[in-house]
Amino acid sequence: MRQYFILFIFGIILAFSSCRTDFDTVASTGNLKFSKDTVYLDTVFKNIGSSTYQLKVYNRSKNDISIPVVQLKKGLNSKYRMTVDGMSGNNGKIFNNVTLLAKDSLYIFIETTADITDADPTDFLYTDEIQFDSGSNLQEVALVTLIQDAVFLFPTQNPDGTKEKIQIEGKDVDGFYLAENDPVNGNELIFTKQKPYVIYGYAGVPENKTVTFEAGARVHFHANSGLYVGDKASLQINGTTSATDKLENEVVFEGDRLESLYSNIPGQWKSVLFASGSANHIINYLTLKNAVTGLDFKNPYNTVEIKNTQIYNCLEYGILAQNTHIIGENIVINNVGIASLSCVYGGNYNFAHCTFNNNWTNSSHFAVNLSNKLAGKTPETNPLTQATFNNCIIYGSSTNEFNLDKNLNTAFVYQLNNCLLKFGTTSNPDYQFKTDTEHYNQIILNENPKYYNVSKNQLNIDKTSAAFAKGNPAYIIPKDILGITRTSPPDLGAYQSKDFPK
């Protein structure tokens, strides 16, 4: 009998629960709230999918509501796609009877893939709206995307579905050789500022050819892509000074994700790789960002000139030079996983007014690494005939930012003159910066250069810096990396000091 009574009571409770109206929904009255009134999807290249962006929709009322329709204004023809609380609706464009509980919210995720022809020809913007409900209850959230036209360079696809290959260091990799008379792009060995370039795979420079990058050229590399300067081939980067921080006259190498989320992420593309036997490289006013290794030299044939160049956010090295002869002026490198500058297997190097900094997030890194050996090579050692640093800054977030890796049976010649250097206390005879005058002269040790904003790669200094007016006029480069005339005695590093904005 007691069991029947319990079942009776349970039935009554269930009946009352089924009659409750607070589980029923009411129609939306147009009082939804949104996390933003416009969703900007950043810049994308034509026909390249965007990142996913988020919109949050709030129901502030005490009632569960039903939104009759959530849709893109352009309907099934829209170039945007959505998911609404995990639902894909009708092709990601139209959703019917969307429930939103009282005092709750839902997420909408938005993406786009659009062609330049879809955009407004006056401003290259592609727009649409997300509509909630209709009629007098209609609410809208705008969607805006800048579509950028580009020249796309990529390996051809073979009939069997495989991609065109080129050989790099004895390995076949996805890639192609730039052509002087391509039927679509014309002369692919000359990069202009007319349109940005997007490279898939490795773009190779053929033997005895020169690839030239004119002032203002923009080159974007897809994941696992890069530039390969082959045997007897040359690279010429002809950037110039810019009047604004948009670097309008510099040549810029970076990844192909234009969204701000990707602006400082290392390792988005591979490297600029210079083959053994490549020759006659001149790099002036290049800004290179977010590679695995920025400039990777494999014993080029003759002297490389690198001037007024910035390299940031590389997963392994900013410059990796193997038995290379480099003349470097006004170079800035920061935030690199292993070493900002690594000169290995000997070579000949002369750097003046350079800022080699490394604020990588872990401590196992260097700003400068010098070595006259390389494992796996035959022979394993090679002479370092010269490594001179004049009026430079070698600094960073690690205790020791300068590293010497010597084989004592092979030449290892180096000298630092008038440099600001970060290095902890040691009894190692290789690092006696105050008493070893053969290798070190006028070293400022462990004093803060006081960069303007190192986390944003702004390594400018002002008059409060320990590097202010500490340079030797005998080594002066007349203008700094921004084209500003240096005073005498000059400041150390790549930048002439100036007052920072308040």
Side-chain angles (χ1 to χ4, degrees):
M1 189 71 179
R2 180 174 177 175
Q3 291 175 331
Y4 290 114
F5 178 75
I6 293 173
L7 288 172
F8 175 73
I9 295 298
F10 180 76
I12 292 174
I13 293 171
L14 184 63
F16 274 103
S17 297
S18 64
C19 294
R20 286 179 59 183
T21 59
D22 59 354
F23 288 125
D24 295 334
T25 61
V26 298
S28 171
T29 59
N31 291 316
L32 299 170
K33 303 298 181 184
F34 308 103
S35 58
K36 56 191 76 174
D37 56 14
T38 301
V39 179
Y40 296 97
L41 279 80
D42 283 331
T43 304
V44 297
F45 289 115
K46 65 175 186 176
N47 296 322
I48 302 295
S50 72
S51 292
T52 302
Y53 294 79
Q54 173 186 299
L55 174 70
K56 200 169 184 180
V57 183
Y58 302 93
N59 174 14
R60 305 292 194 195
S61 75
K62 297 179 180 180
N63 298 314
D64 302 337
I65 64 173
S66 177
I67 309 170
V69 63
V70 177
Q71 67 178 7
L72 293 163
K73 187 175 182 179
K74 294 179 180 178
L76 296 176
N77 293 321
S78 179
K79 299 299 180 179
Y80 291 100
R81 304 175 299 279
M82 302 187 296
T83 59
V84 177
D85 257 10
M87 301 179 294
S88 58
N90 185 351
N91 292 316
K93 317 288 186 180
I94 302 171
F95 301 77
N96 294 309
N97 300 317
V98 177
T99 299
L100 181 51
L101 300 180
K103 304 295 183 180
D104 203 354
S105 60
L106 60 81
Y107 284 94
I108 297 178
F109 295 100
I110 310 123
E111 300 173 331
T112 188
T113 305
D115 196 297
I116 192 70
T117 57
D118 299 315
D120 185 322
T122 62
D123 56 18
F124 303 106
L125 294 177
Y126 181 71
T127 62
D128 202 346
E129 289 83 37
I130 305 176
Q131 296 184 323
F132 300 83
D133 210 336
S134 60
S136 60
N137 294 330
L138 177 65
Q139 293 180 270
E140 294 181 320
V141 173
L143 304 175
V144 180
T145 306
L146 177 63
I147 310 297
Q148 193 163 357
D149 198 5
V151 176
F152 291 86
L153 303 173
F154 49 87
T156 58
Q157 186 160 317
N158 300 316
D160 62 358
T162 61
K163 291 182 179 178
E164 180 183 1
K165 306 283 186 182
I166 63 173
Q167 192 167 88
I168 298 179
E169 297 185 296
K171 297 179 180 179
D172 288 334
V173 301
D174 290 344
F176 59 96
Y177 281 103
L178 298 166
E180 286 182 292
N181 297 292
D182 184 82
V184 176
N185 301 320
N187 190 349
E188 295 176 333
L189 290 169
I190 298 178
F191 287 70
T192 73
K193 66 178 181 180
Q194 300 307 312
K195 290 182 182 181
Y197 295 79
V198 183
I199 292 177
Y200 290 78
Y202 266 91
V205 184
E207 186 174 324
N208 296 315
K209 298 295 182 181
T210 298
V211 61
T212 302
F213 296 85
E214 297 180 353
R218 298 290 188 264
V219 185
H220 301 265
F221 296 90
H222 192 63
N224 298 314
S225 299
L227 180 66
Y228 175 62
V229 187
D231 185 42
K232 300 179 183 177
S234 303
L235 175 139
Q236 304 276 316
I237 292 180
N238 300 326
T240 61
T241 54
S242 298
T244 73
D245 57 9
K246 293 182 179 180
L247 306 178
E248 65 275 5
N249 294 324
E250 293 200 16
V251 174
V252 178
F253 289 176
E254 59 185 325
D256 67 343
R257 300 312 304 252
L258 304 184
E259 301 91 332
S260 56
L261 173 67
Y262 291 87
S263 60
N264 293 313
I265 295 180
Q268 294 180 44
W269 57 285
K270 288 289 191 178
S271 69
V272 181
L273 179 60
F274 300 82
S276 174
S278 62
N280 303 318
H281 309 306
I282 296 176
I283 299 171
N284 200 14
Y285 287 101
L286 168 68
T287 294
L288 186 155
K289 302 184 290 184
N290 308 335
V292 174
T293 292
L295 303 176
D296 190 350
F297 297 97
K298 307 292 188 185
N299 190 24
Y301 177 71
N302 55 13
T303 303
V304 178
E305 290 186 12
I306 307 175
K307 300 179 180 180
N308 308 304
T309 289
Q310 306 172 68
I311 301 175
Y312 303 123
N313 307 324
C314 292
L315 192 63
E316 295 181 357
Y317 301 94
I319 296 176
L320 176 58
Q322 181 185 128
N323 188 27
T324 305
H325 185 186
I326 295 177
I327 296 175
E329 300 174 0
N330 291 334
I331 299 172
V332 181
I333 308 178
N334 184 41
N335 199 30
V336 179
I338 299 176
S340 294
L341 170 70
S342 186
C343 303
V344 300
Y345 203 53
N348 187 306
Y349 307 93
N350 194 316
F351 295 101
H353 281 289
C354 295
T355 301
F356 299 118
N357 196 78
N358 202 349
N359 267 54
W360 194 254
T361 52
N362 64 52
S363 59
S364 58
H365 66 251
F366 300 106
V368 171
N369 174 63
L370 300 178
S371 176
N372 62 353
K373 55 187 179 179
L374 187 63
K377 280 288 197 179
T378 304
E380 193 172 276
T381 63
N382 196 60
L384 179 66
T385 58
Q386 179 185 9
T388 302
F389 297 81
N390 296 325
N391 292 350
C392 292
I393 297 174
I394 301 172
Y395 202 79
S397 56
S398 185
T399 302
N400 300 328
E401 290 291 352
F402 181 64
N403 186 59
L404 302 173
D405 184 20
K406 296 182 179 180
N407 181 295
L408 298 178
N409 297 318
T410 304
F412 197 99
V413 181
Y414 65 99
Q415 190 174 63
L416 280 66
N417 301 307
N418 299 83
C419 291
L420 189 156
L421 178 67
K422 186 174 183 183
F423 199 95
T425 303
T426 180
S427 59
N428 189 321
D430 289 336
Y431 303 103
Q432 299 309 306
F433 304 107
K434 298 298 185 182
T435 58
D436 179 5
T437 57
E438 179 185 356
H439 297 110
Y440 307 105
N441 295 290
Q442 300 299 314
I443 302 300
I444 302 170
L445 195 61
N446 298 323
E447 293 192 32
N448 196 336
K450 296 184 180 179
Y451 301 122
Y452 176 51
N453 193 329
V454 70
S455 65
K456 294 184 178 180
N457 296 316
Q458 296 172 333
L459 304 187
N460 315 70
I461 62 170
D462 66 9
K463 293 179 181 179
T464 68
S465 171
F468 173 70
K470 296 299 193 302
N472 188 331
Y475 310 127
I476 194 170
I477 305 300
K479 292 190 176 181
D480 80 347
I481 192 171
L482 301 177
I484 299 171
T485 300
R486 284 191 165 93
T487 55
S488 186
D491 303 326
L492 304 182
Y495 294 96
Q496 169 70 19
S497 58
K498 65 177 182 178
D499 293 332
F500 297 148
K502 302 298 183 183

